[in-house]
Amino acid sequence: SICNGDTIQLFANTCGSINDDFDPGIDMQQWESISNGSSNNDCGAISGKALYFDGDVTREAITKGMDFSSGGIIKFYLKIGSGTAPCEDADPGEDVVLEYSINNGSSWNIITTYNEALYPGFTFISDTIPFAAQTSNTQFRWKQLTHAGSGWDNWAIDDLEIICFGSGASSPTYVWIPSAGLSDTTIFNPLANPDFAITYTVT
């Protein structure tokens, strides 16, 4: 529901999709939680800002559960610090893992381990969602296995996109109708600012 004169962001997520470039900040509608990470360019970015981790204790980002039962692909850029603060060099064993959960975070399974020495600059990564993760309620988590504490062993991700394959389409397209009051009728998350009672439909 939207009150007259208000603006709200709509989402088309019948088939799971997540897209966050962390500009100008983190889109928390797509994340379950982010621990010890923030949106900034302290350790660089592909453009604008990245999701940067330098806090104490657990460093992780967990998506909300979505429908990826048709499979899909996970795309993002990863950088693991190789210099001095605020992009301090991560040491052996301080790797970053991409994991999935199909039971609301009760247990996690590793998709890929990213060795700390192999990502000194932002590197494009594309991982296929494994068959075991193709469920109607799958979460993904980026987590650093260990680190030396606040300000040390920094890392960042940027331009994250997770797309479900859905009906065989590798890159979904969207059509919202009617167009009245919408910022864009061809994206999955337009802004809506209607002047009268209206129902929007997305295909």
Side-chain angles (χ1 to χ4, degrees):
S1 298
I2 310 167
C3 293
N4 187 26
D6 285 352
T7 299
I8 195 169
Q9 191 161 33
L10 305 178
F11 288 91
N13 279 332
T14 53
C15 176
S17 60
I18 297 171
N19 191 323
D20 200 346
D21 61 5
F22 311 106
D23 302 327
I26 301 166
D27 182 358
M28 286 306 301
Q29 295 186 72
Q30 302 183 83
W31 297 93
E32 185 69 29
S33 65
I34 293 178
S35 301
N36 292 299
S38 61
S39 172
N40 62 56
N41 56 12
D42 288 353
C43 199
I46 294 299
S47 62
K49 298 179 180 180
L51 180 57
Y52 166 67
F53 293 88
D54 73 338
D56 206 358
V57 198
T58 303
R59 297 176 180 174
E60 65 182 16
I62 301 173
T63 67
K64 290 186 175 179
M66 290 189 180
D67 183 359
F68 290 100
S69 54
S70 298
I73 194 163
I74 305 168
K75 300 188 287 186
F76 62 99
Y77 288 85
L78 172 67
K79 178 177 182 177
I80 303 178
S82 61
T84 58
C87 213
E88 202 271 333
D89 189 13
D91 302 308
E94 295 171 338
D95 304 326
V96 174
V97 293
L98 171 60
E99 303 172 307
Y100 72 89
S101 175
I102 57 175
N103 54 15
N104 298 311
S106 294
S107 62
W108 294 91
N109 305 281
I110 293 177
I111 298 174
T112 307
T113 299
Y114 305 105
N115 185 287
E116 52 82 24
L118 301 181
Y119 302 90
F122 278 99
T123 303
F124 178 70
I125 292 170
S126 179
D127 274 322
T128 300
I129 296 174
F131 180 76
Q134 296 175 21
T135 76
S136 60
N137 184 34
T138 303
Q139 291 176 278
F140 297 98
R141 175 170 76 172
W142 286 258
K143 181 178 181 179
Q144 190 171 25
L145 296 177
T146 185
H147 59 83
S150 181
W152 297 89
D153 315 310
N154 312 126
W155 59 286
I157 59 175
D158 201 3
D159 288 2
L160 168 70
E161 186 176 20
I162 308 177
I163 302 175
C164 74
F165 288 154
S167 308
S170 61
S171 183
T173 57
Y174 302 89
V175 179
W176 292 83
I177 55 172
S179 61
L182 290 182
S183 62
D184 192 320
T185 61
T186 62
I187 60 176
F188 87 101
N189 60 342
L191 293 173
N193 183 16
D195 291 326
F196 50 87
I198 191 169
T199 297
Y200 292 112
T201 302
V202 60
T203 302

